[in-house]
Every structure is written in structure tokens, then in C-alpha cells.
Amino acid sequence: MKKLGRIHPNRQVLAFILMVFLSQVHLEPIRYSVLEETESGSFVAHLTKDLGLGIAELAARSARVVSDDDKQRLQLDRQTGDLFLREKLDREELCGPIEPCILHFQVFLEMPVKFFQGELLIQDINDHSPVFPEREVLLKIPENSQPGTLFPLLIAEDLDVGSNGLQKYTISPNSHFHILTRNHSEGKKYPDLVQDKPLDREEQSEFSLTLVALDGGSPPRSGTIMVRILIMDINDNAPEFVHTPYGVQVLENSPLDSPIVRVLARDVDAGNFGSVSYGLFQASDEIKQTFSINEVTGEILLKKKLDFEKIKSYHVEIEATDGGGLSGKGTVVIEVVDVNDNPPELIISSLTSSIPENAPETVVSIFRIRDRDSGENGKTICSIPDNLPFVLKPTLKNFYTLVTERPLDRETRAEYNITITVTDLGTPRLKTQQSITVQVSDVNDNAPTFTQTSYTLFVRENNSPALHIGSVSATDRDSGTNAQVTYLLLPPQDPQLPLASLVSINVDNGHLFALRSLDYEALQVFEFGVGAADRGSPALSSEALVRVLVLDANDNSPFVLHPLQNGSAPCTELVPRAAEPGYLVTKVVAVDGDSGQNAWLSYQLLKASEPGLFGVWAHNGEVRTARLLSERDAAKHRLVVLVKDNGEPPRSATATLHVLLVDGFSQPYLPLPEAALAQAQNDSLTIYLVVALASVSSLFLLSVLLFVAVRLCRRSRAASVGRCSVPEGPFPGHQVGVSGTETLSQSYQYEVCLTGDSGTGEFKFLKPIFPNLLVQDTGREVKENPNFRNSFVFS
């Protein structure tokens, strides 16, 4: 009961689905008739009129005709709508004794699915004559038989039915017997020989009569049998069966020679007239092949395998004969009991092996289920796996349609193996499985996808034209031409970028090539878009960004900004002889058009008129004194500074410096002899300029001394002797830091001090003081160093 409770909701669902699909079925059958033995190819009917469809609609909707059995005996011409016979029909072969003989068929249409029921009545013609099973029959009649006694004779078989079947029996004329034709309960006609008057063996001991069986055809057909009648001596008691009819049930899978039933007949006569023997009476060939009876014991045995699906019951007539020739008749009804020995059958009528993806509900297959068993053994359940996007829909008379439940996606799954399982409800349950392979055809529903949303490519400047600089790659999840990708360059967002002359792309593989030599100093980076399009219809595409970085090569030599090396009169640097070691003479400033380590500059003193007197800081190009100056050192010096980058191979430039040693700031500028001579010859105004410069310098120094003296007088007289006094106001300094690209700049501090114990008011020269915090960026604000009071920073 619990199992039935669980199944009941499913039956309700199936009933509901069946009601929905029955609405698509034409329930009222269309009926036609045809004479049997009509030649194949004969016209049956014009379906378009009866179905209410046009001829074009039959072809467009793939109309088909399917018979209930496995053979297709009808053929539909879709172009004309005519229904023809595929083969000659034999009513007796198809239906046997069943009348009327109706061949059921279905006309079903695809796209959308619709069914029409059809019936073809096969009309009988008189093509068979009555046939007796024997050529001669022998009757033994006792002489004391009374008039009116009936003697059964052999029945004739006529395969035709209705009026063409067996109608009556006649016998040759005689004075003692006539024939009585009787109808059996099964519809058969039996001949009985009727005695008309008493018999006298001594007068006539034997009769030979001809029995004729006639059918109702026009003209009628007939069959004959010889009836021999022997008049026997008196035996007044015939055997009688104890039970008649006998009823028995036999399983269809019963083994051979198994006993079916034992019959018993008794004869009250004694002696030979009371002994009984058994035999089958007027048995057909089928019964003779299936059963046998023991003449002595009356036991019926099975000789042939039973098949419920072919014959469900047997009516076996049994005769018991005594020694005197008298016989009694009995009947054994054998019911064949069905067992579940036939698995369900699955017959596919229509199959679609390929379905386009993204298609709506599509019919994959139309099939029919049949089980030759009966009862619960013939009831079936049809199912497919639950994890598939397909659904089974039942239609009329065990027809099913397999349709897609939702649109399919080839990129998710390109092939489905669908196993249809049909199980009956017998014991044990039998099942049949049919596998269907469905291919999902591709639709262009996926755009190409780049492996990266953006690509960064590196190419060194001064490259050769047509150089392969990198690749882009895109994949497409579709297949065939829908997955074939072509590449192209997209118009640049910057209209000033000459992209067409810079790079090109291979349309087939996405390889990128530089069309010309690139110059890092002119173009360091540029961006452009690439597109990938498939060859589907319509084509789909996607885009990606490509960024090309031009790598620097060491193709630029350093360029000296200070001092200028332009071939004009050289600039002379003044250095006081009182300068201490490390005194900043000047700074060589150079730049390099390259970048990175190719622009990292280093400085070294290549030549000097007096080695060991000056030195060059390697990292910033500062030229400083290497030791204390003396009066013996020459006043004029020429230095050659080598500026070298860090490239591979390195490039270099030289800067020439002229240094003049002076005793102090008040000493007038002393040009080099060569320069002074040339200047004196060319322009006499130079002397006046020198005198003016010396005067201005003297006035400036005097003003500074007066200013400092006034400030010192105002301070406390307790100031210690020798302590440095620094003016509070700003003091103009000499700017020595020069900023340049890729060149470090440094700030310098100078302190001005006066000796308190000097009666001459001697002015000490500027002394460089290196602060704890050096300013590296000339663009930043310079702050006062808290460690040096009254000191100033010049940058």
C-alpha cells in the first residue's frame, strides 16, 4: 500500500500530460476499405481531403504513416497526399478467422506533432475452398441404432469468412441417412449424419457416401470427403466421461512432456465392449502438435512450448471408444496463463541526430512502446536519466516524443547519450534500453576572448624594421568557422599617433611587428587597441589594449651644460690662495639624453696642469681643492674633466676648466696671458672694466666691514675674543649648485667670521660648511640648518 501511495501522484502527472497531448490527436479515426489480394501500389484514399490539410502542409510537416505491427503495409505520397498499398494484403494471413479484419494505422505530423487515427478494412474475397482434414472417414454404427440418431462427422475448414465461408454440408443421396448442418457456439458449422430408418447388417453391412462442404461465394467453392459406414453388431452402451468439460490452466513456460490433465470415461458394458481407449477427436494440426493423449490412461501431455501471446486458450475434443466401437465425446478447455517472458519493445519512428544550440523546444525522437504480455506483465514505464535537458511526453497509444527541455549550449556539452529505459510491471520485471546519441551543432554565440585584457610589449630603440615585437592571442569557444579568429588594429584614440607607420599585425595569428626603427628620445611609449573577430554570421568581436614601451639604448653621449664648451672665450674660475682643502672651485654640470643607467654620469679629472692640486667628485662633478694652496703654486691652471655615462658601451664627453689663483676677493681679475693680450689688442675698454670691477669690489668689502663693525659695537662687550661675529642680514653668496637632468644637485653653506683680536679688522674668507641635511631636490624649499647659527644656504 505504501508503494502504491508513492506512485499515485506520478500517475496523476502522467495523466495530466497525456490529456495535454491528446488535444493534439485527432481522436475520430478515418476509415477506408480495400479488397484483399489487391495489387501493391493500388490507390487507397486521398488523405488531404479527409485530414483537412493542404498538400504542401503534408510535405512541410513530414507526414508519415505507421502501422501497429512492425510491417509498413501502407505508403503515403507527400507530394500528392495519396495513400497507396505497399504490398498485396492477404486477409487470412493478417486476421485469420477474425471478422471484421481491420488494419490500424496512424498518420502523424512533425513540427508540430499531431496524430490521426486510421482504420483500413480488408474485405474478404472467396479465394479459399472448404478443406476436410482427412480424405476418408470411417463410421461404425451398431445395427440396433434407432432412426434419428446423430453421428458427428469431420468438420471442414474454410479460411474465408462471412458469406464466403463455409455455409452448409450435403451428402450423396441414399435412403438411410441425411446431413444436418449445425452451428457451434464458436460460430463453426458441424455436419451430423442423421439416421432416417433402422439398419439391418444382414441386408447391407456397409455404406460409402460422399460428404460435400459448400461455402457461400459466388460461384461457391466446395470440398469433399468419403464417408464409409460399417454396420456393427450390438453394443448398447457407449463410454461416458466422468467430467465434461474439463477446465485447466497451464503456465506458458511449462516444460515439455509435463502432464496437463487426466481424463476418465466409463463404460458399463463388460468385456471388450467395456474397455475404453482415448484419443483426440477431430483435432487441428495445432492441437496435434501441441498436445498428446495416452490411449490407455487418458493423460494429456504437453508436446510443444506454449505462447500466451499467440494462443491464449485451447478447446481439445476427446473421444473415448469402447471395444464395441461405441464412443463418447468430451471437451478439455486449456487456458494458457501468461508469464512475464517478453521484454518491452521500443520502436523508433523518427530520430533527429543533430540539434542546433539555443534552439527552443525541439522534437528529438518519436517512438512507440509495446509489450506482448498481458495484464500487469504488459504495463510499461518509460523513463530517461534525470540529469539531462530532455523530457519524455506521452501521446496516443503508447507513442512518446522525446523533446528538449530547454535550449542547449554546445560550449557546455556538445554531445548527449540518452538512454531510454522501458520497464514492465511484471514479476520479475523486464526492461529494454535504447541509446540515442544527439549532437549539438554550433551557433555563433561566443565572441573571441583575449587571453589578457591588456598587453605590455617591450622593444629596444634603433630596432630593425619588420621586427617581431610580440603577439596577442584570442580564443573562441565556438567551433568551425565560428571559432576562426582574425586580428586587426583599431584606430588609435590619439589622432596624432601615426599607428599605421609604427606597427602591423598578422590577421591570422596576432603577431605584432614594428614597421620602422623606433627612437626612445622621440617616443617612449604608445598605446593602441587590437580587435579579434570570428568568421561566424553575424561575426562577433572583442578588443584588447596593447602598450608598447620603447627601451632606451645608449646612443647619446653626455652633453656639458656648465661650463659651456662652445669655442668662445673660456670661463675662468677664481680660487683664493687661502682656500682650505675641499674648497669648491666649480661644478661641472652635464646631461645625457638617454635614460636609466645609460644616463648615470660619473666625473673624473682627465688632465691637470698641476696634478694633485684639484680633484673631481665622481658623482656630482664638483671640482674642489685637494690640498692647501701655497705661494709657489702657479696662478693659472687648466683642467680637463671627463664626463662618462654608465651605458654599455659607455659614451663620454670632456669639459675644459681654467682656474686662476688669487690672493683674495679684492685682487682684480687676472686673465690668462694669452686672453689678456688678445683682449688688449681688440678692445681697450677691458682695462676700464677691470678697474671698475676692483673699485666695486673694494666698496663692497668696505661696506661689509662697516656694517659688521656697527653690529659688533652694539653687542655685548663681553663677547669673547676670537668668537666669530656674523651679520644678521642676508649676505650675498656665490651660487655653485646647478641642477640638470639626471645630475644630483647639492646645497652649500658658508660662514663669515671676523677675528675679535685683530686690530686691522682682517676679513676671513668664506668657509664651506656641510650641513647635516643636504637638499637633493632644487624644487624644494631650503630651510635654515639649526646646527649652524647665522649660517646661510645657497643652492
Side-chain angles (χ1 to χ4, degrees):
M1 294 299 292
K2 293 181 179 178
K3 183 180 294 184
L4 291 176
R6 290 193 299 268
I7 296 177
H8 183 67
N10 293 333
R11 290 180 176 175
Q12 290 181 345
V13 174
L14 291 176
F16 175 75
I17 297 175
L18 182 59
M19 290 177 64
V20 172
F21 279 89
L22 283 178
S23 63
Q24 303 178 6
V25 179
H26 189 73
L27 297 180
E28 183 65 25
I30 52 178
R31 296 181 174 89
Y32 305 104
S33 64
V34 66
L35 292 176
E36 69 169 330
E37 304 298 332
T38 301
E39 294 297 326
S40 62
S42 298
F43 174 83
V44 177
H46 193 67
L47 287 183
T48 54
K49 297 180 180 179
D50 298 330
L51 300 182
L53 301 173
I55 295 177
E57 189 174 1
L58 285 179
R61 297 179 64 180
S62 300
R64 298 189 182 188
V65 175
V66 179
S67 301
D68 276 355
D69 54 5
D70 296 335
K71 296 183 179 179
Q72 299 299 323
R73 296 182 172 88
L74 297 175
Q75 180 178 2
L76 174 63
D77 189 345
R78 299 179 186 171
Q79 305 301 323
T80 63
D82 294 336
L83 187 65
F84 298 95
L85 290 178
R86 187 187 290 270
E87 62 184 18
K88 184 185 293 185
L89 302 179
D90 187 354
R91 193 208 66 80
E92 288 73 25
E93 178 183 354
L94 294 176
C95 300
I98 298 175
E99 180 66 16
C101 181
I102 296 177
L103 177 62
H104 296 275
F105 65 93
Q106 295 81 35
V107 179
F108 70 89
L109 307 176
E110 297 181 12
M111 302 174 294
V113 175
K114 190 171 183 179
F115 289 83
F116 295 87
Q117 287 282 71
E119 295 179 356
L120 180 63
L121 174 63
I122 303 174
Q123 299 178 354
D124 183 60
I125 64 173
N126 192 23
D127 58 342
H128 293 87
S129 299
V131 177
F132 287 95
E134 302 289 344
R135 299 182 62 182
E136 183 179 297
V137 63
L138 177 63
L139 288 180
K140 295 179 180 181
I141 302 176
E143 64 179 345
N144 61 347
S145 176
Q146 297 299 319
T149 304
L150 301 180
F151 302 96
L153 297 178
L154 291 178
I155 187 173
E157 295 286 340
D158 193 341
L159 297 180
D160 294 323
V161 295
S163 61
N164 294 325
L166 180 63
Q167 298 296 321
K168 65 179 180 178
Y169 296 89
T170 63
I171 198 166
S172 56
N174 66 91
S175 60
H176 290 80
F177 304 95
H178 73 273
I179 287 295
L180 176 64
T181 301
R182 294 192 302 168
N183 293 325
H184 196 269
S185 59
E186 296 181 1
K188 296 182 178 180
K189 297 183 182 299
Y190 287 84
D192 285 340
L193 185 66
V194 182
Q195 183 179 340
D196 293 331
K197 62 181 182 179
L199 301 175
D200 186 359
R201 180 180 178 279
E202 286 71 25
E203 182 180 352
Q204 187 175 354
S205 63
E206 181 177 348
F207 295 87
S208 294
L209 304 175
T210 300
L211 178 65
V212 179
L214 295 172
D215 62 19
S218 180
R221 290 174 175 263
S222 63
T224 61
I225 187 174
M226 181 63 68
V227 180
R228 289 183 59 207
I229 302 174
L230 298 179
I231 309 301
M232 307 297 295
D233 286 339
I234 296 175
N235 179 20
D236 55 349
N237 289 289
E240 295 181 0
F241 284 94
V242 177
H243 301 288
T244 188
Y246 289 88
V248 64
Q249 292 183 335
V250 182
L251 294 176
E252 66 172 323
N253 61 348
S254 297
L256 298 179
D257 296 328
S258 60
I260 304 299
V261 68
R262 177 175 289 183
V263 298
L264 177 62
R266 293 175 180 172
D267 194 320
V268 296
D269 293 329
N272 186 43
F273 291 133
S275 64
V276 178
S277 63
Y278 302 92
L280 301 177
F281 177 73
Q282 294 189 359
S284 65
D285 291 339
E286 180 66 29
I287 292 178
K288 290 179 181 179
Q289 294 173 6
T290 307
F291 304 102
S292 65
I293 188 170
N294 190 303
E295 294 182 354
V296 177
T297 63
E299 186 176 45
I300 298 177
L301 301 177
L302 182 65
K303 292 175 57 179
K304 177 184 175 182
K305 281 287 187 181
L306 301 177
D307 190 351
F308 174 86
E309 288 70 39
K310 291 184 177 180
I311 301 178
K312 296 178 174 55
S313 65
Y314 296 88
H315 292 263
V316 181
E317 299 292 334
I318 304 171
E319 182 181 37
T321 306
D322 61 17
L326 296 179
S327 63
K329 304 298 185 296
T331 302
V332 178
V333 179
I334 301 174
E335 298 288 342
V336 181
V337 179
D338 181 48
V339 296
N340 194 26
D341 59 344
N342 290 282
E345 301 176 25
L346 190 151
I347 303 121
I348 295 178
S349 301
S350 174
L351 177 62
T352 302
S353 60
S354 180
I355 299 176
E357 64 174 332
N358 301 333
E361 181 179 293
T362 304
V363 176
V364 178
S365 177
I366 300 176
F367 59 90
R368 181 164 57 97
I369 294 173
R370 180 177 63 188
D371 195 314
R372 299 183 183 274
D373 295 318
S374 63
E376 292 296 316
N377 296 333
K379 295 179 180 179
T380 58
I381 299 174
C382 184
S383 64
I384 60 175
D386 295 333
N387 58 345
L388 297 177
F390 299 90
V391 64
L392 283 176
K393 296 183 178 180
T395 56
L396 183 66
K397 291 194 68 173
N398 291 332
F399 272 93
Y400 287 82
T401 56
L402 177 65
V403 299
T404 56
E405 186 177 27
R406 59 181 182 271
L408 305 179
D409 184 9
R410 189 204 65 83
E411 289 70 42
T412 302
R413 188 168 179 179
E415 180 181 285
Y416 291 90
N417 290 319
I418 308 169
T419 300
I420 304 174
T421 303
V422 184
T423 307
D424 61 25
L425 300 180
T427 302
R429 293 193 174 189
L430 301 179
K431 71 177 181 179
T432 299
Q433 291 184 330
Q434 177 74 44
S435 293
I436 297 175
T437 300
V438 177
Q439 303 287 339
V440 183
S441 59
D442 185 54
V443 174
N444 191 27
D445 57 348
N446 289 278
T449 303
F450 281 95
T451 56
Q452 301 173 213
T453 57
S454 62
Y455 296 82
T456 301
L457 306 180
F458 298 91
V459 57
R460 189 168 296 278
E461 66 172 330
N462 304 323
N463 58 284
S464 59
L467 175 68
H468 177 238
I469 61 175
S471 302
V472 295
S473 177
T475 58
D476 196 310
R477 296 179 61 197
D478 295 320
S479 64
T481 56
N482 295 333
Q484 295 179 4
V485 180
T486 58
Y487 301 89
L488 71 157
L489 295 178
L490 301 178
Q493 295 182 355
D494 184 4
Q496 303 299 325
L497 181 65
L499 183 62
S501 63
L502 290 176
V503 293
S504 67
I505 190 169
N506 188 307
V507 296
D508 296 323
N509 54 29
H511 290 178
L512 291 167
F513 300 90
L515 296 179
R516 60 181 175 85
S517 180
L518 301 178
D519 185 5
Y520 173 83
E521 287 71 36
L523 182 63
Q524 298 180 1
V525 61
F526 61 94
E527 295 179 348
F528 57 91
V530 293
D534 57 29
R535 296 183 179 178
S537 180
L540 301 179
S541 62
S542 61
E543 300 179 1
L545 181 67
V546 178
R547 190 167 188 260
V548 179
L549 298 179
V550 183
L551 301 180
D552 182 54
N554 192 24
D555 57 348
N556 289 281
S557 299
F559 178 77
V560 178
L561 297 176
H562 177 80
L564 290 176
Q565 306 291 310
N566 55 4
S568 61
C571 179
T572 303
E573 302 292 338
L574 302 180
V575 177
R577 289 186 179 272
E580 297 183 358
Y583 174 82
L584 178 61
V585 177
T586 187
K587 181 176 181 179
V588 177
V589 179
V591 295
D592 196 307
D594 297 319
S595 66
Q597 67 178 8
N598 295 329
W600 295 351
L601 303 180
S602 61
Y603 304 84
Q604 68 182 65
L605 187 59
L606 185 62
K607 293 181 181 179
S609 56
E610 186 173 345
L613 181 57
F614 299 96
V616 178
W617 286 23
H619 299 295
N620 57 16
E622 293 178 352
V623 180
R624 297 177 179 271
T625 58
R627 58 177 176 80
L628 287 173
L629 304 178
S630 65
E631 295 295 335
R632 292 177 295 177
D633 292 326
K636 295 173 293 183
H637 297 271
R638 181 176 179 271
L639 307 178
V640 178
V641 178
L642 177 67
V643 183
K644 183 173 64 174
D645 61 25
N646 198 36
E648 184 62 38
R651 291 176 175 268
S652 62
T654 58
T656 302
L657 304 176
H658 295 276
V659 179
L660 181 63
L661 302 183
V662 297
D663 292 331
F665 283 111
S666 59
Q667 183 176 351
Y669 168 69
L670 297 178
L672 293 176
E674 299 83 354
L677 180 59
Q679 188 174 7
Q681 292 175 353
N682 295 331
D683 192 2
S684 60
L685 187 59
T686 305
I687 299 175
Y688 299 102
L689 291 175
V690 172
V691 173
L693 178 60
S695 301
V696 171
S697 298
S698 300
L699 292 175
F700 174 73
L701 289 176
L702 181 59
S703 300
V704 171
L705 292 176
L706 291 176
F707 178 77
V708 172
V710 171
R711 296 293 294 177
L712 289 177
C713 291
R714 292 180 181 179
R715 289 182 180 274
S716 176
R717 295 182 181 272
S720 59
V721 178
R723 183 175 179 180
C724 294
S725 298
V726 183
E728 295 182 356
F731 185 81
H734 179 63
Q735 182 174 348
V736 296
V738 180
S739 298
T741 303
E742 301 296 340
T743 305
L744 296 177
S745 62
Q746 188 172 0
S747 301
Y748 301 91
Q749 295 177 345
Y750 298 89
E751 184 178 35
V752 180
C753 298
L754 294 176
T755 57
D757 56 348
S758 174
T760 63
E762 182 181 358
F763 176 75
K764 295 188 67 177
F765 194 79
L766 295 175
K767 178 181 180 182
I769 300 176
F770 302 98
N772 291 340
L773 297 176
L774 299 179
V775 180
Q776 301 290 338
D777 188 352
T778 58
R780 298 180 182 177
E781 181 182 357
V782 179
K783 298 182 180 180
E784 182 178 352
N785 192 336
N787 297 327
F788 298 89
R789 189 165 176 259
N790 296 326
S791 61
F792 301 91
V793 176
F794 301 91
S795 60

